Amino acid sequence: MQNAPVTSTEAHLDRLRGDVAPVNHNARTIAALTGNPGCRRRAVLDAAGVDKKAMSVHIGHPVPFGQSTFAITRGNAFEAQVKANGCAELLTMLRERLGLDIAEVAYNDLEEAGGNGSREVRHALARRMIDGAAAGVEGAGTLFDHPLLGLPIGGRTVYLEPDLIAFQVGAQFHIIEIKSFPVIDGQADGGKVAAAAVQSAVYVLALRRLFEELGHDPQRVSHNVILVCPENFSNRPVATLLDVRRQLTVLKRQLSRLRRVDELLATLDPGLTFDLGVRDGTATRPAGEVVAALGEVEARYSPDCLDMCELSYFCRAEARGTTHALGRTVREELGGIEFVDTALRLAEGRLAPTVELAETAHALRTALRMRTECLS
Amino acid sequence: MAEPVEELERRIERLRSAVRHAVTTGDRATARTLRAELRRAEDAWEEALDDLADQAPAAPLPPRQRAVPGLLPLREQVHTALSLLSVPAAPRLVVQVHHAFFGEDVPSAKLTSLRRDEERSFRSAPFARPYYLCAALTADRLAPARGLLAVSTWPLEHRIVGPLSPRVDFLTAAVRVAEHAERLSKVDGGVARLLWMFGANIPGAASGIGTAAPAAVIRAARAELDSHTGVDRSHRTAAAARARAHLDDVGQLFGTQLRAVRSRTGT
């Protein structure tokens, strides 16, 4: 029977995704979730682990997406420099900025567990080391390089491959995030710092969760993360404390929303699927069907999406002509008017405004008058 | 048969004036043949010049500017640098040290496969060479430590990397480099940069921005070493004893890998 009741959320998500392995979240995608919390399309697709990139290519709106290889190389080189020689540069900074004790130099490489790089083994090792450190075992360590943390997202444990070291000053654990964008005269690119803050907040959350599971006080994980960046135009690293409390709150709310994904699913047609019908590496399902399926779930496009969602080009094409496609500011200014065309007609007086829109219509007419005056 | 350069130069001179004459009198056919001959003569002159350059005794370059691969085999260059440092080191540091003290560039791209080649060589003919470039072993699992090179003739304790060892090895390397710099008659750019790299990251070692005196580096590094060596040595001794008890020769030099247990307990 086609409309058989779905037994569980998990089964429903599997059906939505189709016969392919789910795409895993990482700190970047989790961070991106907070960017546009109102988008139901993204919430559903991400919860189901749909390969949005393959989908965007299939439906003809590919996104030139992903990190530049140059940026990745630069990031890795800077990270290697900071960690070279037993984290010599990092220790110097931590001693100067945070008053780290001279004796606190123990370093644990958790990137491999005895040559075994599998996620389960590495996660188990990281758990054991951090448990030892939190319990105050003698010589348990100060710096932990690349611990593999887990965070349940939408009912699945997501392993986070953090680009960082968790570290202990006194009894507090801090997340260290090494980024290769420069801090010039004490100022860094706001957007990049914000992105780093959200990513670090994901790690803080994962580490706090681990503490809870191990029976330690999660508040021992500091909400101040240490951001290490090159200083000015040199390659010299500089450490800055970054308060991520706000990001933590947003993340927690987002993740709790993700957990309520079953409520979102309840509103969908049980027969709906985003399966691309991949056979031998190529998608066989007609693109029109996929587009129709996407149309079943409401999206909330805003220009910010272009930076972080693989489907953004599709949503932008779909949202053409609506006021919210012009950005959050415009949408708020023109509250109640959905289409650009309506706004134009109101401005030109070709449409009589309703009572609710009288104020907006007045503003639009004024704007048009001023524009005409400026241009004439 | 090559003409002497002087002869060529005179011929080129003659040809040039003949070409000019042919062009001014409007004799295009002659001008074309003469020009072709002139080009051949010029080519021959370039070749003769190259031969002369090869025959000339090479002027000795100042050692610091000689950024060429050295004459020693790669493994000996690495061995020299590691012996100077006396502790397991990352390829990057090996390259820096070799460049600063011996003025030769070690091709760092080749260092990545060096340890594997040495292991293969050791497995096929154990102890056939006076030394092998081998791995440093992690204290907890006796696995090869990522990205560190060591020398097989060192005591096993020196090749163990415990939690404190990266710092201890860094400080020991700083002392060794500074001692070596003290023996030099003149500390030049490369060595000074190396000293500064160590000095800047040891409390109390740097005497100003960009400069670190060898004596100050040694004093500061020893002071910090005092607070780490005791614990570090106990880790190393315990791990080395375990390695001797449980590992064969290959394992002691190149480490063991953690394997999945499932493959052996399968039905």
Side-chain angles (χ1 to χ4, degrees):
Chain A
M1 226 176 105
Q2 208 203 339
N3 283 355
V6 178
T7 47
S8 71
T9 309
E10 194 73 1
H12 196 164
L13 289 175
D14 284 345
R15 169 123 53 116
L16 283 175
R17 188 179 63 248
D19 194 17
V20 282
V23 174
N24 274 333
H25 271 294
N26 56 37
R28 255 170 209 279
T29 60
I30 296 171
L33 281 179
T34 60
N36 189 356
C39 184
R40 296 159 75 102
R41 184 176 290 165
R42 183 172 181 129
V44 170
L45 290 178
D46 275 348
V50 173
D51 186 349
K52 295 205 297 289
K53 189 162 188 170
M55 183 178 262
S56 70
V57 174
H58 186 55
I59 59 179
H61 289 279
V63 184
F65 210 75
Q67 243 186 320
S68 139
T69 45
F70 300 107
I72 293 174
T73 313
R74 163 77 179 129
N76 289 347
F78 183 67
E79 195 184 329
Q81 182 206 328
V82 172
K83 290 185 188 166
N85 301 318
C87 293
E89 292 192 345
L90 190 59
L91 282 172
T92 308
M93 273 183 306
L94 297 177
R95 284 171 178 176
E96 282 171 7
R97 303 297 289 265
L98 293 164
L100 184 68
D101 197 59
I102 293 285
E104 295 268 3
V105 294
Y107 165 89
N108 294 290
D109 184 359
L110 302 179
E111 192 152 355
E112 266 182 7
N116 189 327
S118 87
R119 295 193 300 189
E120 288 73 17
V121 175
R122 282 184 55 201
H123 181 56
L125 179 67
R127 255 181 102 93
R128 196 163 58 76
M129 296 301 289
I130 291 172
D131 188 25
V137 173
E138 183 75 19
T142 305
L143 298 165
F144 301 92
D145 192 348
H146 283 257
L148 195 62
L149 307 172
L151 191 66
I153 303 283
R156 273 194 199 85
T157 298
V158 174
Y159 287 111
L160 295 169
E161 188 80 45
D163 156 51
L164 64 97
I165 308 169
F167 120 92
Q168 201 184 9
V169 183
Q172 283 270 309
F173 282 75
H174 293 258
I175 296 284
I176 301 177
E177 179 78 16
I178 302 172
K179 288 284 178 194
S180 59
F181 57 81
V183 176
I184 297 169
D185 274 350
Q187 292 278 318
D189 184 328
K192 286 176 176 162
V193 174
V198 180
Q199 267 191 49
S200 312
V202 176
Y203 299 136
V204 171
L205 207 60
L207 192 56
R208 283 194 174 165
R209 229 196 108 75
L210 180 64
F211 268 56
E212 260 171 46
E213 281 175 16
L214 295 170
H216 302 294
D217 178 11
Q219 292 310 312
R220 283 178 63 195
V221 180
S222 171
H223 53 73
N224 283 325
V225 300
I226 300 163
L227 185 64
V228 177
C229 294
E231 188 176 23
N232 297 338
F233 301 100
S234 70
N235 241 351
R236 233 171 66 92
V238 61
T240 325
L241 277 183
L242 204 58
D243 187 337
V244 296
R245 267 178 289 192
R246 196 177 64 78
Q247 285 83 355
L248 277 172
T249 322
V250 177
L251 261 177
K252 273 186 209 149
R253 203 189 70 227
Q254 282 310 308
L255 295 180
S256 66
R257 275 183 57 101
L258 265 187
R259 264 181 237 126
R260 290 205 309 271
V261 75
D262 43 345
E263 290 170 22
L264 279 178
L265 294 178
T267 63
L268 299 178
D269 174 11
L272 185 71
T273 174
F274 299 110
D275 193 0
L276 297 179
V278 178
R279 306 276 174 276
D280 302 326
T282 46
T284 55
R285 193 175 177 205
E289 271 185 37
V290 181
V291 172
L294 282 173
E296 296 277 312
V297 196
E298 186 198 346
R300 185 182 286 179
Y301 170 80
S302 82
D304 302 344
C305 295
L306 292 175
D307 292 338
M308 52 198 180
C309 181
E310 292 90 338
L311 275 180
S312 54
Y313 280 35
F314 170 74
C315 297
R316 183 174 66 173
E318 191 188 51
R320 185 177 291 268
T322 59
T323 48
H324 59 99
L326 300 176
R328 208 153 285 164
T329 342
V330 177
R331 190 180 62 205
E332 279 160 18
E333 291 282 329
L334 300 180
I337 303 176
E338 200 183 342
F339 295 101
V340 175
D341 188 47
T342 319
L344 289 178
R345 284 196 292 162
L346 280 173
E348 288 161 1
R350 286 189 282 139
L351 186 75
T354 55
V355 185
E356 305 88 64
L357 290 181
E359 201 181 326
T360 319
H362 179 70
L364 279 167
R365 278 199 295 272
T366 315
L368 180 66
R369 201 189 67 236
M370 285 164 75
R371 181 175 184 274
T372 330
E373 278 170 12
C374 286
L375 292 179
S376 60
Chain B
M1 204 185 81
E3 291 174 78
V5 181
E6 295 84 1
E7 182 63 32
L8 273 170
E9 281 167 358
R10 275 195 292 278
R11 196 151 72 86
I12 289 168
E13 203 58 32
R14 279 199 305 277
L15 279 166
R16 277 196 181 138
S17 53
V19 169
R20 182 162 40 83
H21 182 74
V23 169
T24 46
T25 55
D27 187 354
R28 287 192 184 165
T30 317
R32 206 176 307 129
T33 43
L34 283 174
R35 272 186 151 163
E37 208 176 317
L38 174 63
R39 267 197 295 278
R40 275 199 300 279
E42 279 170 345
D43 287 349
W45 182 80
E46 293 280 348
E47 270 177 39
L49 208 63
D50 286 348
D51 289 347
L52 280 182
D54 289 348
Q55 287 158 19
L61 290 170
R64 291 290 158 239
Q65 291 166 13
R66 198 179 41 171
V68 289
L71 293 170
L72 288 173
L74 177 68
R75 63 189 302 269
E76 286 193 24
Q77 290 181 323
V78 175
H79 181 242
T80 320
L82 282 175
S83 303
L84 192 154
L85 289 169
S86 85
V87 289
R92 195 182 153 78
L93 184 61
V94 168
V95 173
Q96 281 173 333
V97 165
H98 205 274
H99 185 80
F101 284 107
F102 307 105
E104 287 174 343
D105 276 348
V106 180
S108 51
K110 289 187 186 161
L111 287 178
T112 45
S113 59
L114 189 62
R115 207 165 77 184
R116 213 171 42 238
D117 294 344
E118 292 278 308
E119 181 173 352
R120 207 173 300 137
S121 157
F122 183 84
R123 279 179 192 275
S124 61
F127 299 111
R129 293 175 165 181
Y131 65 84
Y132 289 86
L133 299 174
C134 60
L137 307 184
T138 57
D140 48 357
R141 261 162 289 274
L142 302 174
R146 278 192 313 135
L148 288 181
L149 288 167
V151 182
S152 61
T153 49
W154 292 346
L156 192 49
E157 284 81 358
H158 285 202
R159 292 195 287 110
I160 298 279
V161 182
L164 295 177
S165 308
R167 186 66 184 170
V168 168
D169 286 349
F170 172 75
L171 295 169
T172 314
V175 172
R176 296 279 300 182
V177 164
E179 281 173 353
H180 209 79
E182 269 188 330
R183 285 196 288 271
L184 295 177
S185 53
K186 183 174 150 288
V187 173
D188 65 7
V191 178
R193 266 197 301 279
L194 196 60
L195 272 175
W196 166 244
M197 187 201 83
F198 283 108
N201 293 311
I202 303 171
S207 43
I209 299 292
T211 54
V217 171
I218 295 174
R219 199 175 50 247
R222 289 222 169 108
E224 196 187 325
L225 264 176
D226 281 347
S227 64
H228 306 317
T229 34
V231 183
D232 184 49
R233 194 174 297 134
S234 68
H235 286 158
R236 286 182 192 235
T237 320
R242 260 191 310 132
R244 285 200 188 91
H246 298 293
L247 299 184
D248 57 2
D249 287 336
V250 179
Q252 282 185 31
L253 288 184
F254 297 98
T256 57
Q257 299 280 328
L258 194 67
R259 287 186 194 85
V261 184
R262 211 182 309 136
S263 60
R264 276 190 285 160
T265 53
T267 47

